[in-house]
């Protein structure tokens, strides 16, 4: 039994009369006596023209079933991709649905109610509940909509879909999802039409959210739901429907990105994806990102999207090893530009922090950490509760959890109301400085720096605690750790400059003098961040200790200027004569550095320090040690290092010649004996092959062709 293709029968009636005749034919074919059933519509008065809604059709069914989330008031469906539960004549039902659309188009709103009742009566006459027939109706619409002309016929078919979704949102979603993976143009049009109907879109979004969470069926449903969400959220009329569960929807989308990122990095990914889905797995991640962008943009979060684009946040979100960094960037952007959602988001995070699923738990932890930057949001929990939670993360065996906890402690340190908790913050932060993971050390150094930026920071306490811990980090093999450690020292000097200017001989002054040689040599650090951080910290030291060497330090940092370095060494030797042996010993240690620029810089610095040193300040054992180290550099593979070592060794020989007591045998063996005059001549070094000559050179703009 079929009623033909789209369109009205020639010369036939329209509106409720047509559907009534079709219902009678259904009953006749089933062996039922013709005539009105108990569900036949009753005549209804024509409504006033101004009562006609725009694009909204209501289907009052004989047995209305309220739409609810699966698993809350009614069991979840076994799967959105299952076949229809009975052997329906899908083509006939599709024709019936399309004929109903034609009647809606012709009859206007007055005939719409009767038409909808007749459609229900025709389906009920088959002995099935109406909601059990919706799947076939929607699939029929999906198959025949492409053949409909643009304009009133197509709009009428879309109104039928909206009318069905109003009472049977779950069944409509079940029918449309299979066409969303892989993408289907017609399905996308139907999703957008549902999104524009403000009486329907909220119910449909709830069903899609349930499928996205993975609680209503197999995993492909979540991917199909993501694509459907992207289509719906791209329609501006859908913004209001997300207000009730906006934070929950955002978290689900971000968590799905984490799941996709992990799966994409798994060696089993090709086997899992290729047979059943077209396109690479990253296409699903791209769809999730677009849905997330649409969600943020539709609710006034365009600046959040822009900040993420500028910081590379979207790229990080889809990376298996950078996803949590992307979450932190997203949280920071929302703190800055979408604070109206932070309270709801914070509340949705708390139960996820104890989730058994790693992707849900870690994503929630990263969001929780990032949102602590917002003081009003952090104030939703008691300070002690947040602090204890972050400290508990420090005992987790997973380094990522400890890293997030340290970042959270850093955000907590900025809160002005947490002064009394410094004694609880410090042990965790100082203990992390010995971690083997660079992320943890960087996070701890950053948190300590934030602690110093707050009012009434415990400068003296931190100076004492960092005294034995910070100097080794200035020479750490990890570039980021070196740069962060040098920056922390500069911040400590800036906050404690009052005591340094008064000449207080406290732990900070001792720490600064212990770090001078590493800071000067790190101006030649191959890491640009470490070199610039050293320059900034030396400027802070010059201001706090009143050396008056800022111009010389900037010159040494950007130019190959032996004269400026000589003036710096002269000042240090004159102001801190008791520390000369320490300066020489520290510089000697860098002669064994695996990095050529540092070996060259150490040889040059050593030569100038020795040149300005009084013979009475250096003992014989130290001179012997310097001879030995410089002699070993005569076999260095870098010619510039060999040349610098020869010049510095000559300075050591001149200093030894001025020492009281015989030293000739040692000097003769080294071939360094020279007759010294009353004054030792200054060392002369060849130009450095390592350090850029100027700031201009750093920008790659040298020569006459640079405009």
């Amino acid at each position: 039994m079929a009623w033909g293709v789209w369109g009205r029968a020639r010369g036939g009636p329209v509106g409720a009369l047509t559907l009534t005749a079709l219902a009678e034919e259904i009953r006749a074919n089933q062996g039922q006596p013709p005539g009105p059933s108990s569900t036949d519509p009753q005549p209804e008065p024509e409504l006033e023209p101004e009562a006609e809604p725009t694009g909204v059709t209501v289907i009052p069914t004989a047995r209305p079933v309220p739409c609810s989330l699966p698993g809350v008031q009614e069991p979840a469906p076994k799967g959105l991709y299952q076949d229809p539960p009975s052997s329906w004549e899908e083509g006939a039902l599709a024709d019936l649905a399309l004929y109903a659309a034609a009647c809606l188009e012709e009859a206007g709103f007055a005939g719409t109610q009767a038409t909808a009742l007749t459609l229900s009566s025709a389906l009920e006459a088959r002995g099935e509940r109406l909601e059990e027939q919706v799947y076939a109706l929607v699939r029929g619409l999906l198959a025949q909509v492409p053949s409909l002309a643009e304009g009133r016929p197509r709009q009428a078919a879309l109104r039928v879909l909206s009318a069905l979704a109003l009472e049977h949102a779950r069944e409509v979603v079940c029918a449309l999802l299979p066409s969303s993976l892989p993408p289907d143009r017609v399905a996308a049009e139907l999703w957008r039409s549902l999104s524009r109907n403000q009486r329907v879109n909220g119910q449909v979004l709830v069903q899609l959210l349930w499928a996205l969470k993975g609680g209503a069926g197999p995993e492909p449903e979540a991917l199909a739901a993501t694509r459907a969400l992207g289509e719906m959220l791209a329609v501006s009329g859908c913004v209001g429907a997300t207000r009730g569960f906006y934070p929950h929807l955002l978290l689900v989308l971000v968590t799905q990105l984490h799941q996709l990122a992990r799966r994409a990095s798994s060696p089993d990914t090709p086997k899992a994806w290729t047979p059943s889905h077209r396109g690479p797995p990253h296409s699903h991640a791209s769809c999730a990102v677009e849905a997330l962008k649409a969600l943020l943009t539709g609710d006034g979060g365009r600046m959040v999207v822009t900040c993420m684009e500028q910081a590379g946040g979207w790229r990080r979100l889809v990376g298996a090893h950078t996803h949590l960094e992307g979450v932190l960037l997203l949280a920071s952007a929302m703190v800055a530009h979408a604070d109206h959602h932070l309270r709801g988001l914070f509340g949705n995070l708390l139960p996820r922090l104890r989730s058994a699923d790693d992707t849900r738990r870690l994503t929630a932890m990263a969001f929780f950490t990032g949102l602590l930057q917002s003081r009003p949001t952090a104030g939703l929990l008691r300070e002690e509760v947040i602090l204890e939670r972050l400290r508990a993360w420090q005992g987790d065996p997973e380094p990522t959890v400890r890293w997030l906890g340290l970042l959270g402690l850093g955000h907590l340190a900025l809160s002005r109301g947490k002064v009394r908790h410094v004694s609880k913050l410090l042990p965790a932060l100082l203990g992390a400085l010995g971690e083997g993971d660079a992320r943890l050390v960087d996070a701890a150094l950053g948190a300590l720096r934030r602690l110093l930026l707050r009012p009434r920071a415990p400068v003296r306490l931190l100076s004492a605690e960092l005294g034995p811990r910070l100097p080794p980090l200035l020479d750490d093999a990890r570039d980021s750790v070196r740069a962060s450690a040098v920056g922390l020292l500069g911040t400590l000097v800036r906050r404690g400059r009052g005591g340094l200017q008064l000449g207080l001989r406290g732990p900070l002054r001792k720490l600064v003098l212990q770090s001078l040689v590493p800071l000067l040599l790190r101006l030649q650090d191959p890491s640009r961040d470490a070199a610039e951080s050293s320059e900034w910290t030396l400027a802070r030291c010059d201001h706090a200790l009143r050396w008056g060497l800022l111009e010389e330090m900037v010159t040494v940092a950007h130019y190959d200027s032996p004269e400026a370095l000589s003036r710096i060494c002269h000042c240090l030797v004159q102001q801190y004569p008791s520390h000369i042996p320490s300066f020489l010993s520290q510089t000697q240690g860098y002669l064994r550095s695996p990095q050529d620029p540092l070996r060259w810089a150490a040889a040059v610095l050593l030569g100038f320090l020795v040149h300005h040193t009084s013979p009475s300040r250096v003992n014989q054992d130290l001179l012997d040690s310097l001879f030995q180290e410089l002699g070993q550099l005569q076999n260095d593979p870098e010619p510039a290092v060999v040349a610098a070592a020869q010049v510095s060794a000559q300075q050591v020989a001149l200093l030894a010649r001025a020492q009281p007591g015989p030293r000739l045998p040692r000097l003769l063996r080294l071939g360094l004996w020279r007759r010294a005059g009353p004054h030792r001549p200054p060392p002369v070094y060849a130009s450095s092959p390592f350090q850029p000559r100027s700031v201009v050179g750093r920008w790659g703009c040298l020569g006459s062709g640079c405009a």
Side-chain angles (χ1 to χ4, degrees), residues 591 603 606 625-634 644-645 648-649 652:
L591 296 175
L606 185 62
S625 179
L626 293 176
F627 280 137
Q628 183 178 359
E629 291 289 346
L630 291 171
Q632 291 178 356
L633 287 182
Q634 301 305 310
S648 296
V652 174

Side-chain angles (χ1 to χ4, degrees), residues 112-124:
T112 293
Q113 301 296 323
T115 301
L117 281 171
T118 305
L119 177 59
S120 298
S121 173
L123 294 171
E124 293 282 349

Side-chain angles (χ1 to χ4, degrees), residues 250-551:
L250 186 142
L251 286 176
V252 169
L253 285 171
V254 176
T255 303
Q256 192 194 37
L257 281 171
H258 196 179
Q259 295 168 346
L260 291 170
R262 282 195 170 188
R263 190 174 304 109
S265 65
S266 172
D268 298 331
T269 297
K271 297 179 181 179
W273 287 91
T274 303
S276 57
H277 301 290
R278 289 180 251 165
H282 66 78
S283 62
H284 301 300
S286 300
C287 181
V289 168
E290 291 305 317
L292 190 56
K293 289 181 180 179
L295 179 66
L296 292 166
T297 304
D299 196 56
R302 180 59 197 171
M303 281 302 300
V304 176
V305 177
T306 302
C307 289
M308 289 289 286
E309 290 173 351
Q310 293 175 346
W314 302 120
R315 175 177 49 81
R316 286 184 168 89
L317 271 179
V318 300
H321 304 291
T322 59
H323 171 79
L324 297 180
E325 297 175 11
V327 175
L328 292 169
L329 287 173
L330 178 59
S332 299
M334 294 191 70
V335 167
H337 303 291
D339 57 350
H340 55 293
H341 284 303
L342 298 186
R343 290 177 175 267
L345 190 59
F346 198 75
N348 276 270
L349 287 172
L350 298 179
R352 292 169 172 259
L353 295 176
R354 294 185 173 88
S355 174
D357 181 74
D358 283 348
T359 56
R360 288 168 55 89
R361 180 171 57 90
L362 291 176
T363 299
M365 285 181 170
F367 250 122
F368 180 86
T369 298
L371 293 185
L372 291 180
Q373 297 173 90
S374 169
R375 293 177 185 172
T377 303
L380 296 176
L381 288 180
R382 289 187 298 113
E383 300 166 2
E384 294 81 1
V385 173
I386 297 177
L387 181 60
E388 289 305 317
R389 186 185 296 272
L390 296 177
R391 290 176 62 194
W393 293 359
Q394 298 308 300
D396 195 282
E398 175 61 41
T400 299
V401 175
R402 300 200 300 274
W403 170 61
L404 292 173
L406 290 169
L407 292 177
L409 290 175
H411 296 325
L412 203 64
L414 285 177
S415 300
R416 297 179 181 271
K418 308 291 192 301
V419 177
R420 61 182 180 275
H421 295 312
V422 170
S423 59
K424 296 181 179 180
L425 285 170
L426 276 183
L429 298 178
L430 294 173
L433 296 180
E435 288 275 6
D437 192 327
R439 294 182 308 165
L440 301 178
V441 183
D442 285 336
L445 291 170
L448 289 169
R449 185 173 180 273
R450 290 186 179 94
L451 195 60
L452 284 169
L453 293 176
R454 59 187 291 169
R456 303 186 303 279
V459 177
R460 189 174 183 85
L461 174 62
L462 279 175
S463 300
E465 294 290 345
L466 291 173
R469 294 180 174 92
L470 196 57
L473 296 178
L474 301 180
D475 295 322
D476 195 274
R478 297 161 292 190
D479 294 348
S480 61
V481 173
R482 288 200 308 276
S484 298
V486 172
L488 176 62
L489 177 59
T491 304
L492 191 62
V493 170
R494 187 178 66 174
R495 294 306 309 272
R497 65 177 178 268
L500 289 173
Q501 290 175 352
L502 292 175
L504 299 179
R505 297 184 178 274
L508 180 55
R509 187 180 185 85
K510 180 180 179 181
L511 178 60
V512 170
L513 294 177
Q514 187 181 359
S515 305
L516 279 181
V517 168
L519 291 176
L520 286 170
L521 292 176
R522 289 296 168 187
L523 292 175
Q524 312 291 326
D525 198 300
S527 168
R528 181 62 51 84
D529 290 339
E532 292 178 351
S533 185
S534 298
E535 180 184 353
W536 182 83
T537 299
L538 281 171
R540 305 285 80 72
C541 294
D542 177 79
H543 178 64
L545 295 169
R546 300 176 180 177
W547 293 333
L549 296 173
L550 181 60
E551 181 180 350

Side-chain angles (χ1 to χ4, degrees), residues 589-636:
Y590 284 90
L591 296 175
R592 298 184 292 272
S593 172
Q595 297 173 323
D596 295 344
L598 287 185
R599 292 200 308 278
W600 179 87
V604 174
L605 180 63
L606 185 62
F608 283 118
L609 286 173
V610 169
H611 173 70
H612 293 290
T613 297
S614 171
S616 61
R617 294 293 181 180
V618 184
N619 59 40
Q620 181 176 346
D621 293 336
L622 180 56
L623 285 176
D624 289 341
S625 179
L626 293 176
F627 280 137
Q628 183 178 359
E629 291 289 346
L630 291 171
Q632 291 178 356
L633 287 182
Q634 301 305 310
N635 299 320
D636 194 274

Side-chain angles (χ1 to χ4, degrees), residues 28-63:
N29 289 339
Q30 289 183 327
Q32 298 180 9
S37 66
S38 59
T39 58
D40 280 343
Q42 300 299 323
E44 295 183 11
E46 186 167 340
L47 301 180
E48 295 294 330
E50 59 270 13
E52 179 176 347
T54 58
V56 177
T57 306
V58 182
I59 299 182
T61 62
R63 302 178 189 176

